[in-house]
Amino acid sequence: MTTRTASTRSRLSPEERRSQLLDLGVRLLSSRSLDELSIDLLAEEAGISRGLLYHYFGSKQAFHEAVVRRAADDLIAQTAPPVEGEPLHRLLVSMTAYLDYVDTNHAGYLSLVKAAQGGNDTLREIYDEARAALTDRVFGEDAQGQIVRETPQTRLLVKAWAAFAEEVVLGWKADPAGVTREEVLDVLVMSLPALVGVLPPQE
Amino acid sequence: MTTRTASTRSRLSPEERRSQLLDLGVRLLSSRSLDELSIDLLAEEAGISRGLLYHYFGSKQAFHEAVVRRAADDLIAQTAPPVEGEPLHRLLVSMTAYLDYVDTNHAGYLSLVKAAQGGNDTLREIYDEARAALTDRVFGEDAQGQIVRETPQTRLLVKAWAAFAEEVVLGWKADPAGVTREEVLDVLVMSLPALVGVLPPQE
DNA sequence: GGCGTTATTGAAAAAGTGTCAATAGACTGC
DNA sequence: GCAGTCTATTGACACTTTTTCAATAACGCC
């Protein structure tokens, strides 16, 4: 006797099925790497045949990319809405949205982050795109509202700050003991100007 | 006709063979991910049979872990020697050693970093251990020579600072345009006190 | 130069990925 | 209700890669 109660096959609309498989993929890939996840297991969890996964995604690799893209799109959608106001306030709003996202979509965020490193260029690209949604706004288009002026030095620094922010949030989620949410937000926001401050002033 | 010139099998001591395979693994895994590296290729490059790899490491996964552990040990050995002097000077020496290491062992460092994220808990653990070798020294044992007093907040912050430092170095190696080595070192060293400064003073 | 130890091999089993013609839900018009 | 059509879904099969293990052959020792 298997886990499935329904002995009959279920026929969903392509959109529903695709969505179901992506959701499942996000969940499963947050705790395993791709090669630790067999199509067999995935198919069984979804209650479908192996063949159907290939019908929808073509290959295991392509499935992975679709899963990561789904996670990235979620992140971008929930953190990207433009914000008015002072630079530091905008940064606070942005970081709050980011923290909220990771709070409610921990699995999705993990599968995104994990995919980015071990993976190929396509995966890395998707990840960079998502990261840009968080960091782009610190480089203002005009000279007025920007937090950081764009130079080779600051570009490197801001990219590294994003890695810092990611580690703060994931580290806190993994072990929140002794640190409040407000302290985390404070560090996320104030760290950027503090880091920019270590660069020699550029004119 | 294969690549091998010697038609006869060569018999090495277990230590030599193991070491040879690990070195080769570090090199090959710096440009591919684990599932892009077949045992076939590895065995051919090493001039051995597939079976021998299993004799030494048991499984592909275990081989990967051994490779990552080797890379981590290298990093620890070359950056860990304790240093005398002022806290900030010790930090400078430490960061210089780190930068030097990544400079001369770029491939090995990449395979370490890439493995840690994409992978399972064991891999992550090995990586954390290596990172600790770089960051532990910022927490002094006595109240005198320390840079940072250890609290839940600073522990989280220093861990994230390590991620920041890693991204700075790897980002710079990937695209050094417009940024000097001295600027990188300066950022690596000064960023830590700058970040600690954003925390409210604890008494 | 024979002998024992054990590093090493190669063939065959197991596991996993990808393919495709055949099957069967669900809707449509009658 | 019922037959017919469309297409989502399956399952068996081909292929690739990993893993196992009994047999083989280097090397050191006497």
Side-chain angles (χ1 to χ4, degrees):
Chain A
M1 188 164 107
T2 67
T3 311
R4 285 180 72 187
T5 355
S7 56
T8 156
R9 64 168 78 171
S10 67
R11 183 187 173 119
L12 273 59
S13 77
E15 295 73 33
E16 275 181 305
R17 182 63 82 192
R18 204 184 146 81
S19 193
Q20 173 212 353
L21 293 176
L22 287 179
D23 283 346
L24 181 62
V26 166
R27 211 173 72 236
L28 293 179
L29 284 171
S30 64
S31 53
R32 309 159 182 40
S33 66
L34 187 66
D35 59 334
E36 286 167 342
L37 174 63
S38 70
I39 304 288
D40 271 334
L41 174 64
L42 183 67
E44 189 179 347
E45 287 276 320
I48 60 165
S49 68
R50 271 207 312 286
L52 194 58
L53 196 93
Y54 286 93
H55 174 68
Y56 277 103
F57 298 100
S59 75
K60 196 185 181 187
Q61 189 62 43
F63 173 68
H64 193 200
E65 287 174 17
V67 166
V68 172
R69 182 159 281 130
R70 144 82 55 122
D73 286 348
D74 281 358
L75 172 62
I76 293 171
Q78 291 191 39
T79 64
V83 180
E84 301 295 321
E86 255 200 303
L88 264 186
H89 177 69
R90 281 165 52 198
L91 186 58
L92 173 62
V93 172
S94 182
M95 287 298 103
T96 306
Y98 171 53
L99 190 53
D100 284 343
Y101 176 81
V102 179
D103 245 332
T104 57
N105 295 64
H106 196 201
Y109 190 64
L110 272 181
S111 49
L112 173 62
V113 169
K114 294 183 67 171
Q117 272 80 2
N120 59 46
D121 293 343
T122 307
L123 291 177
R124 188 155 213 119
E125 209 172 297
I126 298 171
Y127 175 70
D128 283 346
E129 194 186 322
R131 218 178 221 189
L134 293 169
T135 61
D136 268 2
R137 66 192 62 183
V138 307
F139 297 116
E141 300 81 18
D142 57 358
Q144 302 299 319
Q146 73 200 14
I147 297 172
V148 183
R149 178 167 304 185
E150 194 163 3
T151 68
Q153 284 79 17
T154 59
R155 191 192 294 282
L156 184 61
L157 189 110
V158 168
K159 197 153 163 264
W161 168 75
F164 169 86
E166 182 177 292
E167 184 68 34
V168 166
V169 171
L170 288 182
W172 181 63
K173 286 292 292 182
D175 177 22
V179 184
T180 68
R181 181 186 159 89
E182 280 65 38
E183 286 173 326
V184 170
L185 268 178
D186 219 53
V187 164
L188 289 178
V189 171
M190 298 312 295
S191 55
L192 181 59
L195 286 173
V196 172
V198 312
L199 291 177
Q202 316 244 336
E203 210 48 44
Chain B
M1 189 164 113
T2 69
T3 310
R4 284 181 74 186
T5 357
S7 54
T8 156
R9 65 167 76 168
S10 67
R11 183 188 173 119
L12 273 59
S13 76
E15 295 73 34
E16 276 181 304
R17 182 64 81 193
R18 204 184 147 81
S19 192
Q20 174 212 353
L21 294 176
L22 287 179
D23 283 346
L24 182 63
V26 166
R27 213 174 71 238
L28 293 179
L29 283 170
S30 63
S31 52
R32 309 159 179 57
S33 66
L34 187 66
D35 59 334
E36 286 166 341
L37 173 64
S38 70
I39 305 286
D40 270 334
L41 174 63
L42 183 66
E44 188 179 348
E45 287 275 320
I48 61 165
S49 68
R50 274 205 310 285
L52 193 58
L53 196 93
Y54 285 92
H55 174 68
Y56 276 103
F57 299 100
S59 76
K60 197 184 180 186
Q61 188 62 43
F63 173 68
H64 192 201
E65 287 174 17
V67 165
V68 171
R69 183 159 281 132
R70 147 79 54 121
D73 286 346
D74 281 358
L75 172 63
I76 292 171
Q78 289 192 39
T79 63
V83 179
E84 302 293 322
E86 256 199 303
L88 264 185
H89 178 69
R90 282 164 52 197
L91 186 58
L92 173 62
V93 171
S94 181
M95 288 297 104
T96 306
Y98 171 55
L99 191 52
D100 284 344
Y101 177 81
V102 179
D103 245 333
T104 58
N105 294 63
H106 196 201
Y109 189 64
L110 271 182
S111 55
L112 172 63
V113 170
K114 292 180 69 173
Q117 271 78 6
N120 58 44
D121 292 342
T122 308
L123 291 176
R124 185 151 214 122
E125 210 172 297
I126 297 170
Y127 175 71
D128 282 346
E129 193 186 320
R131 227 179 214 186
L134 293 170
T135 59
D136 269 2
R137 68 192 62 182
V138 307
F139 298 115
E141 300 82 17
D142 56 0
Q144 301 300 320
Q146 73 199 14
I147 296 172
V148 183
R149 177 167 306 186
E150 194 163 4
T151 69
Q153 284 79 17
T154 59
R155 190 191 294 280
L156 183 62
L157 189 111
V158 168
K159 196 151 166 267
W161 168 76
F164 170 85
E166 181 178 292
E167 184 68 34
V168 166
V169 171
L170 287 182
W172 181 63
K173 288 290 293 181
D175 177 21
V179 184
T180 68
R181 182 185 158 91
E182 280 65 37
E183 287 173 326
V184 170
L185 268 178
D186 218 54
V187 165
L188 290 178
V189 172
M190 298 314 295
S191 54
L192 182 59
L195 287 173
V196 172
V198 312
L199 291 177
Q202 318 242 337
E203 206 50 43

